[in-house]
Amino acid sequence: MKETDGPDRGSAIPSPEGHRFVPALGFAALTPLYDAVIAATMRESTFRRALLAQAAIANGHRVLDLGSGSGTFAILIGREVPGALVEGLDADPEMVEAARRKAALAGSGALFHLGDATRLPFADASFDRVVSSLFFHHLSPAGKRRAAAEIARVLRPGGELHVADWGAAPNLLMRSLFLAVQMLDGFENTRENVEGRLPELFAAAGLEGVASRLTLPTVFGALSLYRARRPFE
Ligand SMILES: C[S@@+](CC[C@H](N)C(=O)[O-])C[C@H]1O[C@@H](n2cnc3c(N)ncnc32)[C@H](O)[C@@H]1O
């Protein structure tokens, strides 16, 4: 059983390595249901395909999927761009194991690391792309800033960040639907998402060309796609 220091969510779970993280569906007990819930509710194929197209990953690229969860997106990238070296990182040992099992079943060469997005175990300027889906809203405001700084550090000059996560709600319906996510993953962690402030965080980390590309309505609110680039020195 996992050790907790309060409710089983909201940065309450330390992993064996001491990372603190909000589980994929807010509560650790729900993690085994994650793939089924996302497939049923998130227009999954549409948003993953849109993010993949936006990222324009090429053969030879080294790609990091931050908060890779059960590995669905990293495995998709590896299938669509077989010449890319794809690595996922997640703070939840259960998710890392699930991703490794799925990759083995799919015959994927994607690698999955246990780690904390706010302290990445990678060298400076070592990735061509950092991608991330449904992840940033799991971090505290300070955690978002540390993760953005880490992304800027590990991207090569000219390397790109591509993110799909909850964004500003375009109407009251989308805002109301998002309350369910806020109750699961925490109001503080999700606030800057729904205020549409992720682009500002990426720019503050030194990334340039920050843009919001697409907003997709889902049953849990509006999902936005963002891009940003590490400047050439
Ligand atoms: C909603 S899931 C998204 C998973 C996957 N990216 C996807 O698109 O299905 C969020 C993931 O972020 C991970 N996570 C939360 N905090 C983290 C942190 N500080 N560092 C790395 N991963 C973290 C959780 O363990 C969870 O697997």
Side-chain angles (χ1 to χ4, degrees):
M1 183 135 145
K2 282 181 168 135
E3 187 190 339
T4 64
D5 63 352
D8 207 4
R9 67 174 165 97
S11 303
I13 298 184
S15 75
E17 279 65 36
H19 315 129
R20 304 177 72 79
F21 65 94
V22 179
L25 290 175
F27 295 83
L30 298 178
T31 298
L33 303 177
Y34 180 74
D35 278 2
V37 170
I38 296 303
T41 60
M42 286 302 302
R43 303 179 64 189
E44 186 177 17
S45 169
T46 303
F47 94 75
R48 293 202 191 281
R49 291 266 159 206
L51 187 62
L52 182 64
Q54 179 184 297
I57 294 162
N59 287 334
H61 276 173
R62 187 179 181 201
V63 182
L64 174 63
D65 182 4
L66 207 53
S68 47
S70 59
T72 308
F73 192 52
I75 293 168
L76 174 67
I77 296 169
R79 192 164 60 230
E80 296 297 313
V81 193
L85 173 58
V86 188
E87 298 174 52
L89 176 136
D90 200 282
D92 186 343
E94 194 177 334
M95 280 305 213
V96 171
E97 276 312 308
R100 287 174 180 160
R101 274 197 308 273
K102 267 169 70 172
L105 275 174
S108 167
L111 303 172
F112 293 94
H113 309 278
L114 180 64
D116 184 345
T118 67
R119 282 176 291 155
L120 290 176
F122 303 115
D124 295 0
S126 51
F127 287 93
D128 301 283
R129 296 284 185 274
V130 175
V131 297
S132 177
S133 50
L134 306 176
F135 165 65
F136 267 89
H137 71 283
H138 281 247
L139 300 176
S140 67
K144 285 180 178 56
R145 286 159 177 81
R146 284 199 299 272
E150 282 291 83
I151 290 167
R153 179 181 70 75
V154 302
L155 274 174
R156 297 198 169 112
E160 298 176 8
L161 168 67
H162 295 273
V163 170
D165 203 358
W166 306 110
N171 56 48
L172 196 56
L173 173 64
M174 287 295 119
R175 183 66 188 86
S176 309
L177 292 172
F178 189 62
L179 283 174
V181 176
Q182 297 200 282
M183 286 194 289
L184 280 177
D185 294 333
F187 281 84
E188 194 195 11
N189 294 348
T190 52
R191 192 186 63 245
E192 287 176 305
N193 282 77
V194 75
E195 289 173 354
R197 293 181 57 197
L198 291 190
E200 169 188 326
L201 292 180
F202 300 147
L207 298 172
E208 67 176 18
V210 183
S212 170
R213 307 288 290 203
L214 178 71
T215 298
L216 282 175
T218 77
V219 296
F220 287 130
L223 195 67
S224 289
L225 267 58
Y226 303 105
R227 66 177 300 158
R229 183 178 55 243
R230 177 171 169 177
F232 290 97
E233 263 41 271

